Amino acid sequence: MLSTLQTLSPGVLLVILLGLVVALYLARHAAHQAINSLFRLIYSGFRFGSIAARKSAQRLHARNREVLLELGREQIEKDLEKEFFEINKFVQRDLGGYPQLQKQIQENITRIQDDYSNSTEVPQATPEWVDAVDAVAKMKNSDKTPAISVKVLEQIHSSAKQQHTENLAAYRQESAKRHSILKAMTPFWRKLAYSVDEVGGKLKEIVTRSQNIDKHMLKYKEILAATDSAERSLKASAITQFLIAALVIVVAVGGAFFNFHLIALPMSEMVGSVSRVAGVKVADLAALVIICLEITAGIFLLESLRITKLFPLISSMDDKVRRTIMIASAAVLLTLACTESALAFMRDQIAADLANLRASLAGVETSSHEGSAINVWIPMAANMILGFVLPLALTMVAIPLEYLLQTGRTVFGSLLEIFVNAIAVILRIFATAFKHLGKVVISLYDLFIALPLWVESLWQKREKNSTQRDDEFYNSAYDSAKSK
Amino acid sequence: MKTFALILLSCVLFVSCSSSEQEVAETSYAKGVYLLLDTSGTYTQELTKAQQLINYMLAMLEPGDTFAVARIDSGSFSEKDIVAKVVLDGRPSIANKQKREFATTIADFVKNVKSSDYTDISGGLLQGIEYLNEAKVGNKTIMIYSDLKEELPKGYVRDFDITLDGFKVQALNVTKLRADNENPQVYLDRVEHWALKVTEGGGSWTVINDLDKPEAIAL
């Protein structure tokens, strides 16, 4: 088309251009309508899409919020249940023995009271010789009496002294007795103090747990009220848990990959390495199946132990059935771990054989003592240990897997919400862009036919002027006729 | 119920298809190597190097692969010229045993080889094609350890087209003869003749003269 135009002379081209301009000018009104309709259609389409996407995002947000709050509610209920269970356990275990403890305390108190009453000091009786001294003092003084009085008083003095000595000895004896009673009270005091401390310590635990319950209840109320702060807190928690679980799963995949390489070669000795299914060696598939079986057995073990709840049916089973599943899973796991350990040993043997073959083919002599070298048996032992430990370690993957599945719904829901919102914004931008683009295209169209439009405007101006002149002429004629 | 029946039917069909194709799948990933050793004239001196190459290849081959070594003599289109052949077992321990036996056979052959009067490369090539086609391997390679100078006894006809679709032909250690040194064009024409013959037959052609780089021999 362009080459055909290039062959035409400038005169012909000018004529074609003028013809095109005239044609476009004549079709201006229809073309404007067509352009307007087209861009309005596109604008409406994008706008409709944007509104639909925004509504979807809103519905998605509502649904995500509902799911998040529901999951949060379930989690809090679980936590509360656990706290109450712990308190119940504590009450049964520790406070169940409280009546006995109370009895012990009362016994101790009774003993202490008895001992205390036994140790009270008995007041000494008034000496009997005081009345005698008083009588002697009241006697009439005579010549003979002083000598008698002195004698009597001396006698009284000696008696009083003797009595004092006896009383003092008796008093000391009594005091020693009271002290021994008081000394015997000490262990009972200690027991009593210990019992009281023990009760206080146990009550502290109850206080702590009740504080935890208060916190959980506060959260629970917020979730039930569906507050924004509860939603934000749950979302942040879900994202953190998701990231941590994903990280652990990546580590577990690394472990599974290493485990796979540990058993893939010896599996080829068992099932052969020639047969393939969909391009994958049967030996590799067998190794993968073993690893998957280990993970499955691990999941069932943790489910039956009620550590994870991927299958609610298992945790709600009868204890006897659950225990059977637990024992069976553990047995399968142990068998597979032992098998892997044996395979790891076999792998070492095959690798050594291959190394010997390559050395002999390369003409290198291998000495016999190399087989017992430390660098041979250490890798072999490490292989065997890893072969046994890795399957057991892989069982733990059920815990992060559960977290990943639980929080994945929230995280992917939020991501989808962001994505749909972004689509809504993009569609809105396109709608606005096309709305203005329609105006731009019409302006460009008019620019292309600017010459005829200019002529038209001149014509219109002239028409207007002539009309104005006619009006003025008729008005003046009318005015003059009126004045006449 | 209808959907369930459909799924069941699909499963049955899938299983039957996979079992019928299993045999093909087992061999299509396997490699097949047919090595032709030139035993004519002074080229027998080069066989020690060829033995090292065979040992290297034995180390590289995996269970399920096919490997055969044949001599090029006066009339090479014959099973009698196959010195050693093996289809490596799926179990690595058995495959290692087979490799050891193979290496011993080759060592004996190199020690006791007698040079032949003529060099029937075309016959050997044809024998290799036949052998590898029968082996039903996925990756077919024919290696020619020779100076590529063909000399046929009187009455032997080798003027025919060969079909080498899906074959990789590698010329190894193509030594230069005295005449080549006098006129290198002779050497170039000889190599070009074989390259043309192989590529026209549908195969790919490579010349590897530096055997110190074993990685050059990509199977």
Side-chain angles (χ1 to χ4, degrees), chain A residues 434-456:
Chain A
F434 272 99
K435 191 180 176 183
H436 291 289
L437 199 64
K439 288 175 187 170
V440 171
V441 170
I442 286 171
S443 300
L444 285 173
Y445 186 95
D446 285 351
L447 190 70
F448 193 68
I449 54 167
L451 190 67
L453 283 176
W454 178 65
V455 173
E456 186 196 337

Side-chain angles (χ1 to χ4, degrees), chain A residues 222-287:
Chain A
E222 278 194 358
I223 289 170
L224 285 182
T227 60
D228 287 343
S229 67
E231 189 198 347
R232 275 198 301 276
S233 150
L234 286 173
K235 200 178 267 183
S237 170
I239 291 169
T240 313
Q241 280 182 359
F242 178 81
L243 290 176
I244 293 167
L247 190 73
V248 177
I249 288 284
V250 167
V251 173
V253 168
F257 181 74
F258 180 68
N259 199 7
F260 169 76
H261 278 276
L262 207 63
I263 59 170
L265 182 65
M267 281 310 287
S268 64
E269 195 64 38
M270 290 162 73
V271 295
S273 59
V274 181
S275 308
R276 286 172 191 257
V277 174
V280 184
K281 285 181 187 173
V282 171
D284 290 352
L285 280 177

